[in-house]
Amino acid sequence: MFAEVAVDFPDTHARTFTYLAPPGMAVVPGDLVWVPFGPRTIQGVVFGLVEQSPVEETRPIMQRVVDGPFISPQRLAVARWIAEHYRSTLYAACSMMLPSGSQTRLRHWITRARAPEAATGDLKPRDLRALEYASADRRIRKDRLARRLGRGGAAVVDRLVRRGYLAATAEWERPRISAQYLDIVVLAVPAEQARAEADDHRGGRSQRRAELLDWLATDPPGETRSRLAKRFGPAAVKAVLDSGLARLERVHMDRDPLRHYAVQQQFPFEPTPAQAGAIEAIVAAVTATEASADPARFLLFGITGSGKTEVYLQAAEACVAAGKRVLVLVPEIALTPQTLRRFASRFPGKVALLHSGLSDGERFDQWWRVRGGDYPVVLGSRGAVFAPIDNLGLVVIDEEHEWTYKQHDQSPRYHARDVAEQLCRETGAALVAGSATPDLITFRRTERGEYRLLRLPRRTTPGSLSETDPASIGHAGVRIIDMRDELRAGHIHMLSRPLIDGMRDSLNAGGRVILFMNRRGAASFVQCRDCGAVRGCRRCDTSLTYHNASGDGSPARLVCHYCNYSVQAGRACPACGGAQVRRMGPGTQAVADAVLDYFPRVNVIRWDSDAARTAKDHIDIMERFESGESTVLVGTQMVAKGLDIPAVTLVGVVSADTGLAVPDFRAGERAFQVLAQVAGRAGRGRQGGQVLMQTFQPEHYVIRAAALQDYEAFYRTEIELRSRYASPPFTRLIRLMYTDPDPVEAQGTAVEAAKAFRHEQSVSGETSVEVIGPTPAFPLRVRGMYRWHIVLKGPRPEALLDMAPVGRGWITDVDPVSLL
Ligand code: ADP
Ligand code: ZN
């Protein structure tokens, strides 16, 4: 028997190599194995087994990691699609599906094999020593054996394994799935009876017993015996338990990333008619017994607050009830705690969390538990699409337009929505993508019948649930403020007069205010007033961004947002020595300072990636704002997402224009998404609220559509423009980037590659692909590397790449989300 193995080797093709599967090793597809590759030993994933080898000489697989297979046949098919579509190696695609942090947790064991003693004649002294060590123990860890042999020991061991003198096995270090349990005290009798019993004890020596009973009778969140003993005294707890009024209940406590969230079970809402229709359509697809010809793909389209999450929850519930599992993808866990909290409280103890913020150990454990089927619901950021969930019934992609779903910084440069589509195709699961501002590509696919459009037309805020009342469409009033008028009137402050008035009214009425600062392309930098020099990064062609002194006393710094280089923000100009270095350009800090100009006594809180680095920081900031400790929140893109606070009565957009001038074919889409989401932040409570958008371009179609929260108006103009300029979705792009520390080399290689493409075109007559460039990337230099790119544009741009493949050192990004 032979195995087709995808090996961990930087290849330019998505291909497998054939190895002999030794009898007795019981290799199956999806197994992780060690194979010889040239002089080395490397990892591979078995893709398939064949009776006949297509090549004459094959070498045997050296070892198989026990406890496999790790990748199901369906997921192997997805991996193959990823490798081919995104042009990565098969192994890179598979590696996403292996237990995370796995490399460090794989243990290799060596045993003495039954090789013929007589054949040891040609062995060197070190080989013999290795055999001796290996014989002494039943088995020995490979790294330990290699260390005892001294320098190059690992190669010695590999050679002996290859020649059959030693046998190797690999297994994962056992995940630490020692489940923890808590003893929760719960009432064993109805609450009225407990209160009556409490009355019997009141006042006397058993007063604390009465207090405990009262507490238990108020339907509290679960509390452990030991915590109650601390609070009410051990004697009271014992007495109540002994009397049979309360009992202990063992609950499973995960070493759980959800532990920061107080979870209380919540029950479904009665769905509105629109929600009911959506749920019904999704559930029908989830529970369909025969495969339907139509793809079970849905776009759930509704403004923020229209009840999309409730639809996901109820569809998920039906899916779980049908014995299938649910995968929920969110753009970024830290930014969507409310979604997470709602899933956790609807499915207490049943939600696994998978995201990049977990420690390696947590992620490794979660992987095994998900694989073991411990959780009916798995929630995570884009990488969770690779989680080993079997019996998948439903995949939800919340905020499907978000760019974080595309992995852009390493291979494979996949989009989680596209991977999810393949996964659903293979597993028969239904796919629900939801958004208030869908990706233009997804919305167009509803028009082409590739996705089914489910609309939620209205907000579900309390008091506006009536679907017939036209006033209940429910988005807040948005007012555009023409900043040119402000300038003409001589008001040159960052905050316009109407915005200042609006803030005053809101704050006086006890409301909360959010000021939104789109920081894309608008970071604050420092410039010398004497010589004009702007402080730039030494390794990147970009200016450094000013970061204010932080609360913990560290001084202000200048930071490069491309490479993280940072220096203390000195007073003197390093170029001319002048002392007039000033901060330019708006940032959240500048906005916060501007607020204090007019409202010196309000507590302003900033929310951006500097102020909040960890998930805990995000929660803290949100809680401080929710609780009213801070009444004005100044934030970047982060405030646009998932912040659902009824007390917010005013949202000010400091500059709606930032982002519009960005030279990228999706700049308009991006700007619209952010502005429309921010506009959706106001008026979520009974008090209603308004949004004020400051702009110098009040007639711009993006600004007007965003102010009206009218996605379809935006869509019609934008799709028309895309069609006119033949941008995606009317064509496809592949972006190729070459980087080199030497600027001449970088440009030269890029020019050569473009020449090769054009030559290939003239030879083959392949004219459907347009070759754009090479052009310098923006910024040209990052981390000391010069970057040039070439864009291939056409209905099948990979056709040209197949004819003239680029070599090593090129980064290939298929269907890039941006050309910046
Ligand atoms: P979205 O995900 O579209 O932003 P949500 O599902 O979060 O919308 O719903 C917005 C708010 O309305 C939430 O506070 C939610 O609890 C509430 N809600 C959702 N559906 C209903 C319903 N059918 N009846 C009453 N309230 C609802
Ligand atoms: Zn830099």
Side-chain angles (χ1 to χ4, degrees), residues 712-763:
E712 286 169 274
F714 161 76
Y715 175 80
R716 284 188 298 271
T717 309
E718 180 74 19
I719 203 83
E720 168 66 33
L721 291 172
R722 298 276 183 97
S723 156
R724 195 180 312 158
Y725 297 116
S727 297
F730 296 94
T731 188
R732 287 189 44 232
L733 303 174
I734 293 179
R735 180 201 206 193
L736 302 163
M737 168 124 81
Y738 187 78
T739 66
D740 198 285
D742 176 2
V744 178
E745 186 70 21
Q747 182 174 6
T749 307
V751 167
E752 281 310 308
K755 232 184 250 166
F757 283 135
R758 295 196 169 103
H759 173 74
E760 194 58 44
Q761 279 183 310
S762 65
V763 174

Side-chain angles (χ1 to χ4, degrees), residues 477-498:
V478 179
R479 209 175 121 198
I480 294 178
I481 297 170
D482 189 339
M483 294 299 275
R484 295 170 304 188
D485 294 343
E486 293 294 297
L487 283 189
R488 273 181 224 120
H491 182 86
I492 48 166
H493 198 260
M494 187 190 282
L495 306 177
S496 64
R497 294 161 305 168

Side-chain angles (χ1 to χ4, degrees), residues 269-272 275 302-312 314 342 398 456 460-462 465 644 684:
F269 291 99
E270 183 63 36
T272 63
Q275 283 175 319
I303 57 169
T304 311
S306 60
K308 296 185 294 297
T309 310
E310 188 61 33
V311 171
Y312 307 147
Q314 295 197 23
R342 282 172 66 190
D398 190 23
L456 296 182
T460 62
T461 25
L465 263 178
D644 178 6
R684 306 205 60 173

